[in-house]
Amino acid sequence: MSAQHAEAPQTSPPQLRTVADIRAVLRDGRGFPGDAESFEVDLARALDASTATDLHQVADVIKMYAGSVRAFSDPEFDGALQEGLGLIAEVKQGNQE
């Protein structure tokens, strides 16, 4: 994940106003590996499970992938991820002692 992220730095967060916006940035490779395919599957599954008056599952999928694209586009994401992994390793090591 980090190596691919480092290859495609983004200078500004993409505009994600519509499902088409999310699809476009994911197709352009501005998401994590597999996100473009997973988005379509998850969106279809949410649509199939929704009623005409209750589309919250669809909204949840859209929000989740928009957040994923924003995280991928954040230049500080890799550093924060590495810091979090380091803290987890310290906690695990402390529990083993």
Side-chain angles (χ1 to χ4, degrees):
M1 172 172 29
S2 294
Q4 184 163 356
H5 184 251
E7 293 171 7
Q10 302 302 319
T11 56
S12 64
Q15 296 297 315
L16 301 172
R17 294 187 189 115
T18 67
V19 170
D21 292 341
I22 295 170
R23 281 184 171 134
V25 297
L26 290 174
R27 280 193 216 124
D28 286 346
R30 295 175 69 185
F32 295 105
D35 273 1
E37 298 80 12
S38 296
F39 175 69
E40 297 300 335
V41 171
D42 292 344
L43 183 61
R45 188 176 298 129
L47 282 167
D48 289 346
S50 296
T51 65
T53 59
D54 185 5
L55 295 170
H56 78 275
Q57 291 176 328
V58 174
D60 289 346
V61 169
I62 292 167
K63 289 178 204 170
M64 180 176 69
Y65 282 92
S68 178
V69 168
R70 287 185 183 102
F72 182 84
S73 299
D74 184 341
E76 296 178 13
F77 178 80
D78 284 341
L81 179 62
Q82 291 304 317
E83 181 181 341
L85 292 173
L87 291 171
I88 290 169
E90 287 177 27
V91 168
K92 284 184 174 182
Q93 187 177 29
N95 287 340
Q96 292 176 354
E97 291 176 355

Coordinates of all heavy atoms in Angstrom, one line a residue:
M1 N 0.8 -1.2 0.0 CA 0.0 0.0 0.0 C 0.9 1.2 0.0 O 0.7 2.1 -0.8 CB -0.9 0.0 1.2 CG -1.7 1.2 1.4 SD -3.0 1.2 2.7 CE -2.4 0.1 3.9
S2 N 1.8 1.3 0.8 CA 2.6 2.5 0.9 C 3.5 2.8 -0.3 O 3.6 3.9 -0.7 CB 3.6 2.4 2.2 OG 2.8 2.4 3.3
A3 N 4.0 1.7 -0.9 CA 4.9 1.9 -2.1 C 4.0 2.4 -3.2 O 4.5 3.3 -3.9 CB 5.5 0.5 -2.5
Q4 N 2.9 1.9 -3.4 CA 2.0 2.4 -4.5 C 1.6 3.8 -4.2 O 1.5 4.7 -5.1 CB 0.8 1.5 -4.7 CG 0.0 2.0 -5.9 CD -1.0 0.9 -6.4 OE1 -1.0 -0.2 -5.9 NE2 -1.8 1.3 -7.3
H5 N 1.3 4.1 -2.9 CA 0.9 5.5 -2.6 C 2.0 6.4 -2.8 O 1.8 7.5 -3.4 CB 0.5 5.5 -1.1 CG 0.0 6.8 -0.6 ND1 0.7 7.6 0.2 CD2 -1.1 7.5 -0.9 CE1 0.1 8.8 0.4 NE2 -1.1 8.7 -0.3
A6 N 3.2 6.1 -2.6 CA 4.4 6.9 -2.8 C 4.6 7.2 -4.3 O 5.1 8.3 -4.6 CB 5.6 6.3 -2.2
E7 N 4.2 6.3 -5.1 CA 4.4 6.5 -6.6 C 3.4 7.5 -7.1 O 3.6 8.0 -8.2 CB 4.2 5.2 -7.3 CG 5.3 4.2 -7.0 CD 5.0 2.8 -7.5 OE1 4.0 2.7 -8.3 OE2 5.8 1.9 -7.2
A8 N 2.2 7.8 -6.5 CA 1.2 8.6 -7.0 C 0.8 9.8 -6.0 O -0.3 9.8 -5.6 CB 0.0 7.8 -7.4
P9 N 1.8 10.6 -5.7 CA 1.4 11.7 -4.8 C 0.4 12.7 -5.4 O 0.5 12.9 -6.6 CB 2.8 12.4 -4.5 CG 3.6 12.1 -5.7 CD 3.1 10.8 -6.2
Q10 N -0.5 13.2 -4.6 CA -1.5 14.1 -5.0 C -1.2 15.5 -4.4 O -0.9 15.6 -3.2 CB -2.9 13.6 -4.6 CG -3.2 12.2 -5.2 CD -3.1 12.1 -6.7 OE1 -3.5 13.0 -7.4 NE2 -2.5 11.1 -7.2
T11 N -1.3 16.5 -5.2 CA -1.1 17.8 -4.7 C -2.3 18.5 -4.0 O -2.1 19.3 -3.1 CB -0.6 18.8 -5.8 OG1 -1.6 18.8 -6.9 CG2 0.7 18.3 -6.4
S12 N -3.5 18.1 -4.4 CA -4.7 18.6 -3.8 C -5.7 17.5 -3.7 O -5.8 16.6 -4.6 CB -5.2 19.8 -4.6 OG -5.6 19.4 -5.8
P13 N -6.6 17.5 -2.7 CA -7.6 16.5 -2.6 C -8.6 16.6 -3.8 O -8.9 17.7 -4.2 CB -8.3 16.8 -1.3 CG -7.7 18.1 -0.7 CD -6.6 18.5 -1.6
P14 N -9.0 15.5 -4.3 CA -9.9 15.5 -5.4 C -11.3 15.9 -5.0 O -11.7 15.7 -3.8 CB -9.9 14.0 -5.9 CG -9.5 13.2 -4.7 CD -8.6 14.1 -3.9
Q15 N -12.0 16.5 -5.9 CA -13.4 16.9 -5.6 C -14.3 15.6 -5.7 O -14.2 14.9 -6.7 CB -13.9 17.9 -6.6 CG -13.2 19.2 -6.5 CD -13.4 19.9 -5.2 OE1 -14.5 20.0 -4.7 NE2 -12.3 20.4 -4.6
L16 N -15.0 15.3 -4.7 CA -15.8 14.1 -4.6 C -17.3 14.4 -4.3 O -17.8 14.2 -3.3 CB -15.3 13.1 -3.6 CG -13.8 12.7 -3.8 CD1 -13.3 12.0 -2.6 CD2 -13.7 11.9 -5.0
R17 N -17.9 15.1 -5.3 CA -19.3 15.5 -5.1 C -20.3 14.4 -5.5 O -21.4 14.4 -5.0 CB -19.6 16.8 -5.8 CG -18.8 17.9 -5.3 CD -19.2 19.2 -6.0 NE -18.3 20.3 -5.6 CZ -17.5 20.9 -6.4 NH1 -17.5 20.6 -7.7 NH2 -16.6 21.8 -5.9
T18 N -20.0 13.6 -6.4 CA -20.9 12.6 -6.9 C -20.3 11.2 -7.0 O -19.1 11.0 -6.9 CB -21.3 13.0 -8.4 OG1 -20.2 12.9 -9.2 CG2 -21.9 14.4 -8.4
V19 N -21.1 10.2 -7.3 CA -20.7 8.8 -7.5 C -19.7 8.8 -8.7 O -18.7 8.1 -8.6 CB -21.8 7.9 -7.6 CG1 -21.4 6.5 -8.1 CG2 -22.6 7.7 -6.4
A20 N -20.1 9.6 -9.7 CA -19.2 9.6 -10.9 C -17.8 10.2 -10.5 O -16.8 9.7 -11.1 CB -19.8 10.5 -12.0
D21 N -17.7 11.2 -9.6 CA -16.4 11.7 -9.2 C -15.6 10.6 -8.5 O -14.4 10.5 -8.8 CB -16.6 12.9 -8.2 CG -17.2 14.1 -8.8 OD1 -17.2 14.3 -10.1 OD2 -17.7 14.9 -8.0
I22 N -16.3 9.8 -7.6 CA -15.5 8.8 -6.9 C -15.1 7.7 -7.9 O -13.9 7.3 -7.9 CB -16.4 8.2 -5.8 CG1 -16.7 9.2 -4.8 CG2 -15.7 6.9 -5.2 CD1 -17.7 8.8 -3.7
R23 N -16.0 7.3 -8.8 CA -15.6 6.3 -9.9 C -14.4 6.8 -10.7 O -13.4 6.1 -10.9 CB -16.7 6.1 -10.8 CG -17.8 5.2 -10.3 CD -18.8 4.9 -11.3 NE -19.7 3.8 -10.8 CZ -21.0 3.9 -10.9 NH1 -21.6 4.9 -11.4 NH2 -21.7 2.9 -10.5
A24 N -14.4 8.1 -11.1 CA -13.3 8.6 -11.9 C -12.0 8.6 -11.2 O -11.0 8.2 -11.8 CB -13.7 10.0 -12.3
V25 N -11.9 9.1 -10.0 CA -10.7 9.1 -9.3 C -10.2 7.7 -9.0 O -9.0 7.4 -9.0 CB -10.7 9.9 -8.0 CG1 -10.9 11.4 -8.3 CG2 -11.6 9.4 -6.9
L26 N -11.1 6.7 -8.7 CA -10.7 5.4 -8.4 C -10.1 4.7 -9.7 O -9.1 4.0 -9.7 CB -11.8 4.5 -7.9 CG -12.2 4.9 -6.4 CD1 -13.4 4.1 -6.0 CD2 -11.1 4.6 -5.5
R27 N -10.8 5.0 -10.8 CA -10.3 4.5 -12.1 C -8.9 5.1 -12.5 O -8.1 4.4 -13.2 CB -11.3 4.8 -13.2 CG -12.4 3.8 -13.3 CD -13.2 3.9 -14.6 NE -14.6 3.7 -14.2 CZ -15.6 4.6 -14.4 NH1 -15.4 5.7 -15.1 NH2 -16.8 4.3 -14.1
D28 N -8.7 6.3 -12.1 CA -7.4 7.0 -12.3 C -6.3 6.5 -11.4 O -5.2 6.9 -11.5 CB -7.5 8.5 -12.1 CG -8.3 9.1 -13.3 OD1 -8.5 8.5 -14.3 OD2 -8.7 10.3 -13.1
G29 N -6.6 5.5 -10.5 CA -5.6 5.0 -9.6 C -5.3 5.8 -8.4 O -4.3 5.7 -7.8
R30 N -6.3 6.7 -8.1 CA -6.1 7.6 -6.9 C -6.7 7.1 -5.7 O -7.2 7.8 -4.8 CB -6.6 9.0 -7.3 CG -5.8 9.6 -8.4 CD -6.3 10.9 -8.8 NE -6.2 12.0 -7.8 CZ -6.7 13.2 -7.9 NH1 -7.4 13.5 -9.0 NH2 -6.5 14.0 -6.9
G31 N -6.7 5.7 -5.6 CA -7.3 5.1 -4.4 C -6.3 3.9 -4.1 O -5.3 3.7 -4.7
F32 N -6.7 3.2 -3.0 CA -5.9 2.0 -2.6 C -6.1 0.9 -3.6 O -7.1 0.8 -4.3 CB -6.2 1.6 -1.2 CG -5.8 2.7 -0.2 CD1 -6.8 3.5 0.4 CD2 -4.5 2.9 0.1 CE1 -6.4 4.5 1.3 CE2 -4.1 3.9 1.0 CZ -5.1 4.7 1.6
P33 N -5.1 0.0 -3.7 CA -5.3 -1.2 -4.6 C -6.6 -1.9 -4.4 O -7.0 -2.2 -3.3 CB -4.1 -2.1 -4.3 CG -3.1 -1.1 -3.7 CD -3.9 -0.1 -3.0
G34 N -7.3 -2.2 -5.5 CA -8.6 -2.9 -5.4 C -9.8 -2.1 -5.1 O -10.9 -2.6 -5.2
D35 N -9.6 -0.8 -4.8 CA -10.8 0.0 -4.4 C -11.7 0.2 -5.6 O -12.9 0.3 -5.4 CB -10.3 1.4 -3.9 CG -10.0 1.4 -2.4 OD1 -10.1 0.4 -1.8 OD2 -9.7 2.5 -1.9
A36 N -11.2 0.4 -6.8 CA -12.1 0.7 -7.9 C -13.1 -0.5 -8.1 O -14.3 -0.3 -8.3 CB -11.3 0.9 -9.2
E37 N -12.6 -1.7 -8.0 CA -13.4 -2.9 -8.2 C -14.4 -3.1 -7.0 O -15.5 -3.4 -7.1 CB -12.6 -4.1 -8.4 CG -11.7 -4.1 -9.7 CD -10.4 -3.3 -9.5 OE1 -10.1 -2.9 -8.4 OE2 -9.8 -3.0 -10.6
S38 N -13.8 -2.9 -5.8 CA -14.6 -3.1 -4.6 C -15.7 -2.1 -4.5 O -16.8 -2.4 -4.0 CB -13.7 -3.0 -3.4 OG -12.7 -4.0 -3.4
F39 N -15.4 -0.9 -4.9 CA -16.5 0.2 -4.8 C -17.7 -0.3 -5.7 O -18.8 -0.2 -5.2 CB -15.9 1.5 -5.4 CG -17.0 2.6 -5.5 CD1 -17.5 3.1 -4.3 CD2 -17.4 3.0 -6.7 CE1 -18.5 4.1 -4.4 CE2 -18.4 4.0 -6.8 CZ -18.9 4.6 -5.6
E40 N -17.5 -0.8 -6.9 CA -18.6 -1.1 -7.7 C -19.4 -2.3 -7.1 O -20.6 -2.3 -7.1 CB -18.1 -1.5 -9.1 CG -17.5 -0.4 -9.9 CD -18.4 0.8 -10.1 OE1 -19.6 0.7 -10.1 OE2 -17.9 2.0 -10.2
V41 N -18.7 -3.3 -6.5 CA -19.3 -4.4 -5.9 C -20.1 -4.0 -4.7 O -21.3 -4.4 -4.5 CB -18.3 -5.5 -5.5 CG1 -18.9 -6.6 -4.7 CG2 -17.7 -6.1 -6.8
D42 N -19.5 -3.2 -3.8 CA -20.1 -2.7 -2.6 C -21.3 -1.8 -2.9 O -22.4 -1.9 -2.3 CB -19.1 -2.0 -1.7 CG -18.1 -2.9 -1.1 OD1 -18.3 -4.2 -1.2 OD2 -17.1 -2.4 -0.6
L43 N -21.2 -1.0 -3.9 CA -22.3 -0.1 -4.3 C -23.5 -0.9 -4.8 O -24.6 -0.7 -4.5 CB -21.8 0.9 -5.3 CG -22.8 2.0 -5.8 CD1 -23.3 2.8 -4.6 CD2 -22.2 2.9 -6.8
A44 N -23.2 -1.9 -5.7 CA -24.3 -2.7 -6.2 C -24.9 -3.5 -5.1 O -26.2 -3.6 -5.1 CB -23.7 -3.7 -7.3
R45 N -24.2 -4.0 -4.2 CA -24.7 -4.8 -3.1 C -25.6 -3.9 -2.2 O -26.7 -4.3 -1.8 CB -23.6 -5.4 -2.2 CG -24.1 -6.3 -1.1 CD -22.9 -7.0 -0.4 NE -22.1 -7.8 -1.3 CZ -20.8 -7.7 -1.4 NH1 -20.1 -6.9 -0.7 NH2 -20.1 -8.5 -2.2
A46 N -25.2 -2.7 -2.0 CA -26.0 -1.7 -1.2 C -27.3 -1.3 -1.9 O -28.3 -1.3 -1.3 CB -25.1 -0.5 -0.8
L47 N -27.1 -1.1 -3.2 CA -28.3 -0.8 -4.0 C -29.4 -1.9 -4.0 O -30.6 -1.7 -3.8 CB -28.0 -0.4 -5.4 CG -27.4 0.9 -5.6 CD1 -26.8 1.0 -7.0 CD2 -28.5 2.0 -5.5
D48 N -28.9 -3.1 -4.1 CA -29.8 -4.3 -4.1 C -30.5 -4.5 -2.8 O -31.6 -5.0 -2.7 CB -29.0 -5.6 -4.5 CG -28.6 -5.6 -5.9 OD1 -29.1 -4.8 -6.7 OD2 -27.7 -6.5 -6.2
A49 N -29.8 -4.1 -1.7 CA -30.4 -4.3 -0.4 C -31.3 -3.1 0.1 O -31.9 -3.1 1.1 CB -29.3 -4.5 0.6
S50 N -31.3 -2.0 -0.7 CA -32.0 -0.8 -0.3 C -33.4 -0.8 -0.9 O -33.7 -1.4 -1.9 CB -31.2 0.4 -0.9 OG -30.0 0.5 -0.3
T51 N -34.2 0.0 -0.2 CA -35.6 0.3 -0.6 C -35.6 1.7 -1.2 O -34.7 2.5 -1.0 CB -36.6 0.2 0.5 OG1 -36.4 1.2 1.4 CG2 -36.5 -1.2 1.2
A52 N -36.7 2.1 -1.9 CA -36.8 3.4 -2.4 C -36.8 4.5 -1.4 O -36.4 5.6 -1.7 CB -38.1 3.5 -3.3
T53 N -37.2 4.2 -0.2 CA -37.3 5.2 0.9 C -36.1 5.1 1.9 O -36.0 5.9 2.8 CB -38.6 5.1 1.6 OG1 -38.7 3.7 2.2 CG2 -39.8 5.3 0.7
D54 N -35.2 4.1 1.7 CA -34.1 3.9 2.6 C -32.8 3.6 1.9 O -32.6 2.4 1.5 CB -34.4 2.9 3.6 CG -33.3 2.7 4.7 OD1 -32.4 3.5 4.7 OD2 -33.5 1.8 5.5
L55 N -32.1 4.6 1.6 CA -30.8 4.4 0.8 C -29.6 4.7 1.7 O -28.5 5.0 1.2 CB -30.8 5.4 -0.4 CG -31.9 5.1 -1.4 CD1 -31.9 6.3 -2.5 CD2 -31.6 3.8 -2.1
H56 N -29.7 4.5 3.0 CA -28.6 4.7 3.9 C -27.4 3.8 3.6 O -26.2 4.2 3.8 CB -29.0 4.7 5.4 CG -29.1 3.3 5.9 ND1 -30.3 2.6 5.8 CD2 -28.2 2.5 6.6 CE1 -30.1 1.4 6.4 NE2 -28.8 1.4 6.9
Q57 N -27.6 2.6 3.2 CA -26.5 1.7 2.9 C -25.7 2.2 1.7 O -24.5 2.1 1.7 CB -27.0 0.3 2.6 CG -27.5 -0.4 3.9 CD -28.1 -1.8 3.6 OE1 -28.6 -2.0 2.5 NE2 -28.0 -2.7 4.5
V58 N -26.4 2.7 0.7 CA -25.7 3.3 -0.4 C -24.9 4.5 0.0 O -23.7 4.7 -0.4 CB -26.8 3.7 -1.5 CG1 -26.1 4.5 -2.7 CG2 -27.5 2.5 -2.0
A59 N -25.5 5.4 0.8 CA -24.8 6.6 1.3 C -23.5 6.1 2.1 O -22.5 6.8 2.0 CB -25.7 7.4 2.2
D60 N -23.7 5.1 2.9 CA -22.5 4.6 3.7 C -21.4 4.1 2.8 O -20.2 4.4 3.1 CB -22.9 3.4 4.6 CG -23.8 3.9 5.8 OD1 -23.9 5.1 6.0 OD2 -24.5 3.0 6.4
V61 N -21.7 3.4 1.7 CA -20.6 3.0 0.8 C -20.0 4.2 0.1 O -18.7 4.3 0.0 CB -21.2 2.1 -0.3 CG1 -20.2 1.8 -1.5 CG2 -21.7 0.8 0.3
I62 N -20.8 5.2 -0.3 CA -20.2 6.4 -0.9 C -19.3 7.1 0.0 O -18.2 7.5 -0.3 CB -21.3 7.3 -1.4 CG1 -22.1 6.6 -2.6 CG2 -20.8 8.7 -1.8 CD1 -23.4 7.3 -3.0
K63 N -19.7 7.3 1.3 CA -18.9 8.0 2.3 C -17.6 7.2 2.6 O -16.5 7.8 2.7 CB -19.7 8.1 3.6 CG -20.8 9.1 3.5 CD -21.5 9.2 4.8 CE -22.9 9.7 4.7 NZ -23.7 9.5 5.9
M64 N -17.7 5.9 2.7 CA -16.5 5.1 3.0 C -15.5 5.2 1.9 O -14.3 5.4 2.2 CB -16.9 3.6 3.1 CG -15.7 2.7 3.4 SD -16.2 1.0 3.8 CE -16.7 0.5 2.1
Y65 N -15.8 5.1 0.6 CA -14.9 5.2 -0.5 C -14.4 6.6 -0.7 O -13.2 6.8 -1.0 CB -15.4 4.6 -1.8 CG -15.3 3.1 -1.7 CD1 -16.4 2.3 -1.2 CD2 -14.1 2.4 -2.0 CE1 -16.3 1.0 -1.1 CE2 -14.0 1.0 -1.9 CZ -15.1 0.3 -1.5 OH -15.0 -1.1 -1.4
A66 N -15.2 7.6 -0.4 CA -14.8 9.0 -0.5 C -13.7 9.2 0.6 O -12.7 9.9 0.3 CB -15.9 10.0 -0.3
G67 N -13.9 8.7 1.7 CA -12.9 8.8 2.8 C -11.6 8.1 2.5 O -10.5 8.5 2.8
S68 N -11.7 6.9 1.8 CA -10.6 6.2 1.4 C -9.7 7.0 0.4 O -8.5 7.0 0.4 CB -11.0 4.8 0.8 OG -9.9 4.1 0.3
V69 N -10.4 7.6 -0.6 CA -9.7 8.4 -1.6 C -9.0 9.6 -0.9 O -7.9 10.0 -1.2 CB -10.7 8.9 -2.7 CG1 -10.1 10.0 -3.5 CG2 -11.2 7.8 -3.5
R70 N -9.7 10.2 0.1 CA -9.1 11.4 0.8 C -7.9 10.9 1.6 O -6.9 11.6 1.6 CB -10.2 12.0 1.7 CG -11.2 12.8 0.9 CD -12.1 13.6 1.8 NE -13.1 14.3 1.0 CZ -14.4 13.8 0.8 NH1 -14.8 12.7 1.4 NH2 -15.2 14.5 0.1
A71 N -8.0 9.8 2.2 CA -6.8 9.3 3.0 C -5.7 9.0 2.0 O -4.5 9.4 2.3 CB -7.2 8.0 3.7
F72 N -5.9 8.4 0.9 CA -4.9 8.1 -0.1 C -4.3 9.4 -0.6 O -3.0 9.4 -0.9 CB -5.5 7.3 -1.3 CG -4.5 6.9 -2.3 CD1 -3.7 5.8 -2.2 CD2 -4.3 7.7 -3.4 CE1 -2.8 5.4 -3.1 CE2 -3.3 7.4 -4.4 CZ -2.6 6.2 -4.2
S73 N -5.0 10.4 -0.7 CA -4.6 11.7 -1.3 C -3.8 12.5 -0.2 O -3.2 13.5 -0.6 CB -5.7 12.5 -1.8 OG -6.4 11.8 -2.9
D74 N -4.0 12.2 1.0 CA -3.4 13.0 2.1 C -1.8 12.7 2.1 O -1.4 11.6 2.4 CB -4.0 12.6 3.4 CG -3.5 13.4 4.6 OD1 -2.4 14.0 4.5 OD2 -4.2 13.4 5.6
P75 N -1.0 13.7 2.0 CA 0.4 13.5 2.0 C 1.0 13.0 3.3 O 2.1 12.5 3.4 CB 1.0 14.9 1.6 CG -0.1 15.8 1.8 CD -1.4 15.1 1.7
E76 N 0.2 13.2 4.4 CA 0.7 12.8 5.7 C 0.2 11.4 6.1 O 0.5 10.9 7.1 CB 0.2 13.8 6.7 CG 0.8 15.1 6.5 CD 0.4 16.2 7.5 OE1 -0.3 15.8 8.5 OE2 0.6 17.4 7.3
F77 N -0.6 10.7 5.2 CA -1.2 9.4 5.5 C -0.2 8.4 5.8 O -0.2 7.7 6.8 CB -2.1 9.0 4.4 CG -2.7 7.6 4.6 CD1 -3.8 7.5 5.4 CD2 -2.2 6.5 4.0 CE1 -4.4 6.3 5.7 CE2 -2.8 5.2 4.3 CZ -3.9 5.1 5.1
D78 N 0.8 8.2 4.9 CA 1.9 7.2 5.1 C 2.6 7.3 6.4 O 2.8 6.3 7.1 CB 2.9 7.2 3.9 CG 2.3 6.5 2.7 OD1 1.3 5.8 2.8 OD2 2.9 6.8 1.6
G79 N 2.9 8.5 6.8 CA 3.6 8.8 8.1 C 2.8 8.4 9.2 O 3.2 7.8 10.2
A80 N 1.5 8.8 9.2 CA 0.6 8.5 10.3 C 0.4 7.0 10.4 O 0.3 6.4 11.5 CB -0.8 9.2 10.1
L81 N 0.3 6.3 9.2 CA 0.1 4.9 9.2 C 1.3 4.2 9.8 O 1.2 3.3 10.7 CB -0.1 4.4 7.8 CG -0.3 2.9 7.6 CD1 -1.5 2.4 8.4 CD2 -0.4 2.5 6.1
Q82 N 2.5 4.6 9.5 CA 3.7 4.0 10.0 C 3.8 4.3 11.5 O 4.2 3.4 12.3 CB 5.0 4.6 9.3 CG 5.1 4.1 7.9 CD 5.1 2.6 7.7 OE1 5.7 1.9 8.5 NE2 4.3 2.1 6.8
E83 N 3.4 5.5 11.9 CA 3.5 5.8 13.4 C 2.5 4.8 14.1 O 2.8 4.3 15.2 CB 3.1 7.2 13.6 CG 3.1 7.6 15.1 CD 2.6 9.1 15.3 OE1 2.7 9.9 14.3 OE2 2.3 9.4 16.4
G84 N 1.3 4.6 13.6 CA 0.3 3.8 14.2 C 0.8 2.3 14.3 O 0.7 1.6 15.3
L85 N 1.4 1.9 13.2 CA 2.0 0.5 13.2 C 3.1 0.3 14.2 O 3.2 -0.7 14.9 CB 2.4 0.1 11.8 CG 1.4 0.0 10.7 CD1 2.0 -0.2 9.3 CD2 0.4 -1.2 11.1
G86 N 3.9 1.4 14.3 CA 5.0 1.3 15.3 C 4.4 1.3 16.7 O 4.9 0.5 17.6
L87 N 3.4 2.0 17.0 CA 2.7 2.0 18.3 C 2.1 0.6 18.6 O 2.2 0.1 19.7 CB 1.7 3.0 18.5 CG 2.2 4.5 18.5 CD1 1.0 5.5 18.4 CD2 3.0 4.7 19.8
I88 N 1.5 0.0 17.6 CA 0.9 -1.3 17.8 C 2.0 -2.3 18.1 O 1.9 -3.2 19.0 CB 0.1 -1.8 16.5 CG1 -1.1 -0.9 16.4 CG2 -0.2 -3.2 16.6 CD1 -1.9 -1.1 15.1
A89 N 3.2 -2.3 17.4 CA 4.3 -3.2 17.6 C 4.8 -3.0 19.0 O 5.1 -4.0 19.7 CB 5.4 -2.9 16.6
E90 N 4.9 -1.8 19.5 CA 5.4 -1.5 20.9 C 4.4 -2.2 21.9 O 4.9 -2.8 22.9 CB 5.5 0.0 21.2 CG 6.6 0.6 20.5 CD 6.7 2.1 20.7 OE1 6.1 2.6 21.8 OE2 7.2 2.9 19.9
V91 N 3.1 -2.0 21.7 CA 2.1 -2.6 22.6 C 2.2 -4.1 22.6 O 2.2 -4.7 23.7 CB 0.7 -2.1 22.2 CG1 -0.3 -2.9 23.0 CG2 0.5 -0.6 22.5
K92 N 2.3 -4.7 21.4 CA 2.4 -6.1 21.3 C 3.7 -6.6 22.0 O 3.7 -7.6 22.7 CB 2.4 -6.6 19.9 CG 1.1 -6.6 19.3 CD 1.1 -7.1 17.9 CE -0.3 -7.2 17.3 NZ -0.2 -7.8 15.9
Q93 N 4.8 -5.9 21.8 CA 6.0 -6.3 22.4 C 5.9 -6.2 24.0 O 6.4 -7.0 24.7 CB 7.2 -5.5 21.9 CG 8.6 -5.9 22.4 CD 9.7 -5.1 21.8 OE1 9.5 -3.9 21.4 NE2 10.8 -5.7 21.6
G94 N 5.3 -5.1 24.4 CA 5.1 -4.9 25.9 C 4.3 -6.0 26.5 O 4.5 -6.4 27.6
N95 N 3.3 -6.5 25.8 CA 2.4 -7.6 26.3 C 3.1 -8.9 26.3 O 2.7 -9.8 27.1 CB 1.1 -7.7 25.4 CG 0.2 -6.5 25.6 OD1 0.2 -5.9 26.6 ND2 -0.7 -6.3 24.6
Q96 N 4.1 -9.1 25.5 CA 4.9 -10.4 25.4 C 5.9 -10.5 26.5 O 6.4 -11.5 26.9 CB 5.5 -10.6 24.1 CG 4.5 -10.8 23.0 CD 5.2 -10.9 21.6 OE1 6.4 -10.7 21.5 NE2 4.4 -11.2 20.6
E97 N 6.3 -9.3 27.1 CA 7.3 -9.3 28.1 C 6.8 -9.7 29.5 O 5.8 -9.7 29.9 CB 8.0 -8.0 28.2 CG 8.8 -7.7 26.9 CD 9.4 -6.3 26.9 OE1 9.2 -5.5 27.8 OE2 10.1 -6.0 25.9

